[in-house]
Amino acid sequence: MEMMESQAAELRVIRRYVTSQDVALDAINAEIAALEAAQAKERAAWESRVENLQRSNKKLMSPWSIGAFAGYDAIHREACVGVGLVYSFWRF
């Protein structure tokens, strides 16, 4: 009888230990879920920013733009400035 009581006491101690481990695992699982949600949110923000930069880059790659220019008119012998549509043959 005494042996059964000691085993029952040991089982209660083990049950408390297992229960405390379950609580710790539940806390860790909750933290992991929060981290995964934060990572997904950050990834979505990065993807959105990348898409915006790609659209912006496509606009910058267009050879057409509006620009200012200045020069010298050799026929009329005077300087000239203006604003106009510019096409880039090459970029540097």
Side-chain angles (χ1 to χ4, degrees):
M1 190 68 147
E2 190 176 305
M3 183 181 202
M4 288 174 57
E5 288 176 5
S6 68
Q7 287 178 346
E10 286 179 24
L11 284 175
R12 281 192 294 273
V13 170
I14 291 172
R15 187 174 292 132
R16 273 188 244 127
Y17 177 75
V18 168
T19 303
S20 69
Q21 293 298 313
D22 285 343
V23 170
L25 286 174
D26 289 341
I28 290 171
N29 283 337
E31 290 176 3
I32 288 172
L35 286 172
E36 287 174 347
Q39 181 188 21
K41 186 177 179 181
E42 184 179 5
R43 181 177 298 261
W46 274 102
E47 288 175 356
S48 172
R49 180 71 177 137
V50 165
E51 288 173 6
N52 289 341
L53 288 173
Q54 286 175 341
R55 275 193 303 262
S56 174
N57 195 22
K58 286 180 184 176
K59 288 179 187 174
L60 292 174
M61 292 303 296
S62 173
W64 293 98
S65 62
I66 296 175
F69 56 89
Y72 179 74
D73 185 356
I75 297 172
H76 297 104
R77 294 180 183 239
E78 58 187 21
C80 61
V81 295
V83 177
L85 187 63
V86 178
Y87 182 83
S88 297
F89 289 106
W90 67 86
R91 294 178 183 208
F92 52 91

